[in-house]
Amino acid sequence: VQLQASGGGLVHIGGSLKLSCAASGFRLDYFAINWFRQAPGKEREGISCISSSDNSTYYANSVKGRFTISRDNAKNTVYLQMNGLKPDDTAVYYCATGELLRRCGASGPSTYESDYWGQGTQVTVSG
């Protein structure tokens, strides 16, 4: 079971990036998928989630209206489209899922329910 996050990079304020979370060894559509991020010196923040059955979504207030999570089951991949990027979005972004994770929690992603993690992809937003 492996997750691989990719798509990070350096972007100017207001720019866009699309992160990908690809799975190998299992079908992503069976699981809810979380996105977290961690900035230097800060706690890991759960920012988005997509459920497995109905593709319902969750967004943290910090990204709501700017980020969009989606999945492509044919490619076994979940995406995080990030628009209107700000310097505060600078962080390492991780995708994750859990053995029992099928639906997004009402309060968003939890590290406790995330058993499998991608390696992280760096997003840097500069002025």
Side-chain angles (χ1 to χ4, degrees):
V1 174
Q2 280 192 321
L3 292 172
Q4 183 167 0
S6 63
L10 175 64
V11 64
H12 291 300
I13 293 173
S16 298
L17 284 173
K18 187 174 185 178
L19 305 185
S20 298
C21 177
S24 59
F26 68 105
R27 287 180 54 168
L28 269 185
D29 57 339
Y30 288 168
F31 299 89
I33 305 299
N34 292 325
W35 281 98
F36 296 85
R37 68 185 182 186
Q38 189 163 21
K42 294 188 178 181
E43 292 187 357
R44 190 163 294 189
E45 177 189 14
I47 58 171
S48 189
C49 175
I50 185 167
S51 296
S52 62
S53 55
D54 60 2
N55 286 333
S56 58
T57 57
Y58 167 90
Y59 298 97
N61 287 335
S62 57
V63 306
K64 195 175 294 182
R66 300 185 298 123
F67 291 10
T68 303
I69 191 170
S70 62
R71 62 166 83 231
D72 185 336
N73 293 335
K75 295 183 178 180
N76 211 28
T77 300
V78 168
Y79 301 100
L80 187 68
Q81 176 68 48
M82 307 188 297
N83 299 327
L85 285 163
K86 308 173 182 179
D88 283 350
D89 296 318
T90 295
V92 178
Y93 284 70
Y94 301 89
C95 58
T97 190
E99 193 73 36
L100 302 178
L101 190 61
R102 298 294 181 270
R103 292 192 60 80
C104 300
S107 56
S110 166
T111 56
Y112 296 107
E113 62 188 6
S114 299
D115 304 305
Y116 307 111
W117 292 79
Q119 82 285 9
T121 184
Q122 175 70 47
V123 172
T124 303
V125 184
S126 66

